[in-house]
């Protein structure tokens, strides 16, 4: 697409600001959403498609086909999706943009175990190929519980279009342990090649997470000091203030360790610790990430803390304890908080702790990566003049308040020499005039283009599970007394002790 075309066709003031210049337009395709009536489709997928349509980034010839159990007509489904967009999209609702997106929208009601339903779906897709010139390209989004994966994958594999490409987007949870993840990988590989499988970890679609790569590898100043010689330790926090939002059925068998640690958290760690890739291809980037995951040392029991929230107050309202949430067993031992001290056993990072924590119902929603550097070796000032000085920290604000800040020591104006810590800040909001794209926009588009860089490869997933399995196995040996932290606090005291024992502390809030 030329610059002139972009400016003419997009309703945005300045589409070039959105970094669109470098992206190529994807091939024509049909996007089939399995689980079309679910929460993900309403809250994330359809609003993401609308945002792409708004920026004129979808292929010229494009169709959405929703597949779910409930009965609905094409028009009824489109109407439902219109409401989802009106409620959840980040852009204003424009009839012309919506009409373009809804034009090719179809719906197939079927049970996933029903072969005849897949035949109907194949007929609809063939129909679209002919009517819209889509050429057989299919992007199949599995936004369904994992029990449904094998039936769908098998049915799709047997009905591939002889023309064009077929790609699968697989939502989490990708297995429940190493064994089930391996089975899933094997099952997928029976019908699809690895370069057709897109395992989603939506954190990788976040701008600030991708910016970690830009920060590290586009700036000459960081890489020489990005190692054990200069870095004292790293802290990664994925804190959420919300509870389980009615997802007890899933969360009871997952807990924070499988919900966040196994995927989002370990990916953030891998991006922070990886070696520079030789280029920015999916193969090179993922090769480097998987090396970090392999180098992760299994933490001993003293290096992992788990917690579960009790009652507390959120914005003045009392909220229930985890065990009081609807659908949760009253004696549930599910973890809603995990903190760990991890080590990456390689030359760059040996002996440098990576402290990580994540949890529900913590005091604030905050995802940050803090790189704490070693103190200056010999500050020549009197001790009292530097009392307010903390070690340098490079703080990546993944969300909210997206940006990066560097904490440095500066002289307080006035007589004498008093030094305290100040921040050099970069805020996305203030620097770029564009809003932040949602992760799903980027990821859906990448999948249409066939770029797997921001998707998790089979070996990465398996390494992630290997670590989680080892941690969970150790949990069988003890039974902490739950609940052990109040909602809207910063987790159990043992989470703080983890750092205190090493003479360190979590970054203050
Ligand atoms: C999902 C988890 O993967 O990520 C949820 O299943 C969690 O439990 C969510 O709330 C957090 O995503 P985000 O983008 O809001 O940080």
């Amino acid at each position: 697409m030329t610059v002139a075309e972009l400016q003419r066709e997009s309703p945005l003031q300045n589409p070039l600001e959105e970094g669109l210049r470098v992206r190529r337009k994807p091939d024509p395709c049909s996007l089939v959403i399995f689980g079309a009536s679910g929460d993900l489709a309403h809250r994330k997928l359809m609003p993401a498609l609308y945002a792409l349509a708004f920026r004129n980034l979808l292929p010229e010839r494009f169709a959405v086909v929703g597949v779910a159990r409930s009965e609905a007509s094409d028009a009824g489904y489109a109407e439902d999706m219109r409401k989802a967009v009106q409620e959840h999209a980040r852009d204003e609702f424009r009839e012309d943009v919506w009409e373009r997106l809804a034009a090719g929208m179809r719906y197939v009601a079927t049970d996933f175990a029903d072969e005849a339903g897949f035949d109907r779906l194949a007929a609809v897709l063939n129909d679209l190929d002919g009517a819209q010139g889509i050429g057989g390209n299919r992007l199949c989004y599995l936004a369904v519980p994992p029990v449904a994966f094998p039936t769908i994958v098998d049915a799709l594999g047997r009905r591939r279009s002889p023309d064009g490409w077929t790609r699968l987007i697989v939502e989490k949870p990708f297995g429940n342990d190493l064994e089930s993840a391996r089975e899933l990988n094997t099952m997928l590989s029976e019908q699809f090649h690895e370069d057709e499988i897109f395992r989603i970890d939506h954190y990788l679609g976040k701008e600030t997470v991708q910016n970690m790569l830009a920060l590290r590898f586009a700036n000459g100043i960081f890489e020489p000091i990005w190692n054990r010689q200069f870095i004292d330790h790293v802290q990664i926090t994925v804190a959420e203030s919300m509870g389980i939002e009615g997802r007890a059925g899933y969360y009871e068998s997952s807990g924070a360790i499988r919900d966040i640690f196994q995927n989002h958290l370990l990916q953030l760690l891998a991006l922070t610790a990886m070696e520079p890739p030789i280029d920015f291809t999916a193969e090179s980037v993922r090769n480097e990430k998987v090396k970090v995951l392999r180098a992760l040392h299994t933490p001993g029991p003293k290096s992992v803390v788990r917690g579960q929230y009790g009652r507390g107050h959120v914005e003045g309202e009392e909220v229930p304890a985890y065990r009081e949430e609807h659908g949760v067993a009253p004696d549930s031992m599910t973890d809603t908080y995990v903190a760990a001290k991890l080590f990456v056993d390689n030359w760059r990072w040996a002996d440098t702790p990576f402290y990580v924590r994540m949890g529900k119902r913590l005091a604030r929603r905050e995802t940050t990566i803090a790189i704490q550097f070693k103190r200056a070796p010999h500050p020549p000032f009197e001790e009292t003049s530097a009392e307010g000085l903390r070690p340098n920290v490079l703080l990546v604000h993944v969300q909210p308040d997206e940006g990066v800040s560097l904490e440095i020591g500066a002289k307080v104006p006035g007589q004498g020499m008093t030094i305290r810590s100040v921040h050099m800040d970069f805020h996305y909001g203030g620097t770029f005039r564009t809003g932040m794209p949602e992760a799903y926009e980027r990821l859906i588009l990448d999948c249409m283009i066939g770029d797997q860089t921001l998707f998790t490869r089979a070996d990465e997933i398996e390494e992630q599970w290997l670590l989680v399995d080892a941690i969970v196995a150790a949990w069988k040996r003890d039974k902490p007394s739950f609940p052990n932290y109040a909602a809207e606090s910063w987790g159990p005291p043992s989470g703080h002790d983890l750092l205190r024992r090493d003479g360190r502390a979590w970054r203050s809030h």
Side-chain angles (χ1 to χ4, degrees):
M1 163 158 284
T2 65
V3 171
E5 276 170 335
L6 252 179
Q7 277 164 340
R8 196 171 57 240
E9 292 183 27
S10 169
L12 293 171
Q13 287 277 315
N14 185 3
L16 294 182
E17 267 283 303
E18 302 232 347
L20 308 183
R21 202 192 308 242
V22 290
R23 310 287 290 167
R24 71 177 166 83
K25 198 130 185 174
D27 304 332
C29 65
S30 293
L31 171 64
V32 186
I33 304 178
F34 291 92
S37 53
D39 208 45
L40 187 75
H42 282 84
R43 285 171 174 276
K44 299 287 183 191
L45 305 185
M46 202 48 74
L49 290 174
Y50 178 81
L52 293 174
F54 198 85
R55 287 157 185 78
N56 202 33
L57 291 173
L58 291 175
E60 299 291 320
R61 284 165 282 152
F62 175 69
V64 178
V65 183
V67 185
R69 275 200 200 96
S70 43
E71 282 302 325
S73 63
D74 290 344
Y77 174 62
E79 190 47 35
D80 187 30
M81 291 300 109
R82 170 204 282 267
K83 288 196 194 115
V85 167
Q86 284 169 331
E87 201 174 331
H88 301 292
R90 68 181 173 107
D91 303 300
E92 61 176 302
F93 187 81
R94 287 185 40 155
E95 206 60 50
D96 57 329
V97 175
W98 173 251
E99 286 304 323
R100 251 191 294 145
L101 181 61
M105 209 168 270
R106 305 285 292 271
Y107 182 77
V108 176
T110 181
D111 190 289
F112 298 133
D114 180 10
E115 283 286 316
F118 280 94
D119 290 338
R120 286 203 305 283
L121 172 63
V124 167
L125 290 168
N126 290 338
D127 206 38
L128 287 165
D129 283 347
Q132 303 210 16
I134 282 177
N137 295 331
R138 275 133 211 211
L139 185 55
C140 301
Y141 201 121
L142 303 190
V144 290
V147 286
F149 290 175
T151 342
I152 299 177
V153 169
D154 182 58
L156 286 175
R158 284 184 287 109
R159 287 176 183 76
R160 269 167 182 267
S161 159
D163 309 311
W165 45 255
T166 300
R167 295 181 189 138
L168 271 188
I169 304 190
V170 188
E171 262 296 336
K172 61 173 280 213
F174 196 93
N176 197 48
D177 54 16
L178 178 59
E179 197 187 336
S180 52
R182 274 193 183 142
E183 278 170 18
L184 203 49
N185 276 332
T186 308
M187 184 275 292
L188 289 170
S189 69
E190 278 160 12
Q191 297 288 356
F192 291 89
H193 192 264
E194 180 64 28
D195 66 12
E196 297 171 321
I197 305 169
F198 291 69
R199 298 174 193 80
I200 280 232
D201 182 320
H202 79 279
Y203 265 56
L204 294 178
K206 290 181 190 275
E207 283 292 323
T208 35
V209 173
Q210 294 165 57
N211 189 44
M212 194 66 191
L213 294 171
L215 190 72
R216 288 192 55 197
F217 306 129
N219 295 295
I221 59 168
F222 294 123
E223 214 35 41
I225 56 170
W226 206 264
N227 56 49
R228 62 193 299 271
Q229 260 177 295
F230 295 91
I231 293 176
D232 179 73
H233 72 277
V234 176
Q235 293 186 14
I236 306 182
T237 298
V238 180
E240 293 183 276
S241 55
M242 64 184 194
I244 54 163
E245 309 279 293
R247 295 160 76 215
Y250 155 73
Y251 203 84
E252 273 284 83
S253 63
S254 129
I257 191 95
R258 294 184 175 88
D259 188 42
I260 301 283
F261 180 93
Q262 187 272 342
N263 39 82
H264 310 326
L265 194 290
L266 288 180
Q267 286 290 326
L268 293 180
L269 190 151
L271 290 171
T272 308
M274 69 193 265
E275 295 300 314
I278 51 165
D279 53 33
F280 201 59
T281 57
E283 202 56 13
S284 302
V285 172
R286 298 190 299 178
N287 283 349
E288 295 308 334
K289 278 197 296 163
V290 82
K291 281 187 211 160
V292 174
L293 297 169
R294 261 182 217 139
L296 275 172
H297 190 88
T298 304
K302 288 210 177 87
S303 296
V304 184
V305 169
R306 54 185 163 143
Q308 187 192 77
Y309 63 83
R311 287 185 196 167
H313 287 84
V314 173
E315 290 168 4
E317 295 277 305
E318 183 168 89
V319 293
Y322 177 71
R323 287 176 174 180
E324 295 164 341
E325 301 272 12
H326 184 69
V328 171
D331 57 351
S332 170
M333 288 305 293
T334 300
D335 47 296
T336 62
Y337 169 98
V338 175
K341 177 163 81 164
L342 301 173
F343 287 99
V344 181
D345 284 343
N346 63 18
W347 273 52
R348 186 187 284 265
W349 296 114
D351 306 325
T352 311
F354 283 71
Y355 298 100
V356 302
R357 61 179 165 168
M358 67 236 68
K360 296 271 185 203
R361 284 267 188 252
L362 294 180
R364 197 176 54 229
R365 177 171 183 253
E366 175 193 306
T367 300
T368 47
I369 302 171
I371 316 293
Q372 178 153 332
F373 291 92
K374 293 186 174 166
R375 282 188 183 274
H378 176 67
F381 317 108
E382 283 173 31
E383 239 171 65
T384 49
S385 48
E387 273 167 357
L389 179 65
R390 293 184 295 270
N392 299 121
V393 174
L394 182 70
L395 189 60
V396 177
H397 299 267
V398 174
Q399 62 188 25
D401 306 327
E402 290 83 354
V404 180
S405 73
L406 181 63
E407 207 169 315
I408 53 170
K411 181 181 175 306
V412 178
Q415 302 300 314
M417 179 60 90
T418 306
I419 299 164
R420 73 171 174 83
S421 291
V422 297
H423 291 262
M424 284 167 63
D425 284 333
F426 148 60
H427 287 290
Y428 268 85
T431 307
F432 299 110
R433 279 179 290 150
T434 156
M436 293 291 267
E438 279 283 329
Y440 283 92
E441 296 168 29
R442 168 69 192 236
L443 295 175
I444 292 173
L445 198 61
D446 277 7
C447 190
M448 287 179 181
I449 292 170
D451 182 350
Q452 292 186 303
T453 312
L454 301 178
F455 293 83
T456 320
R457 207 167 55 187
D459 53 352
E460 289 180 86
I461 289 263
E462 292 186 8
E463 287 300 333
Q464 291 171 184
W465 277 123
L466 194 63
L467 185 68
V468 168
D469 280 4
I471 293 175
V472 172
W475 284 357
K476 298 215 171 80
R477 291 194 282 275
D478 75 319
K479 203 169 175 202
S481 145
F482 282 168
N484 58 358
Y485 71 97
E488 226 194 347
S489 69
W490 278 106
S494 44
H496 296 279
D497 294 342
L498 189 67
L499 277 75
R500 202 171 293 139
R501 283 203 300 268
D502 297 344
R504 301 184 175 106
W506 290 110
R507 286 185 50 73
S508 56
H509 312 288

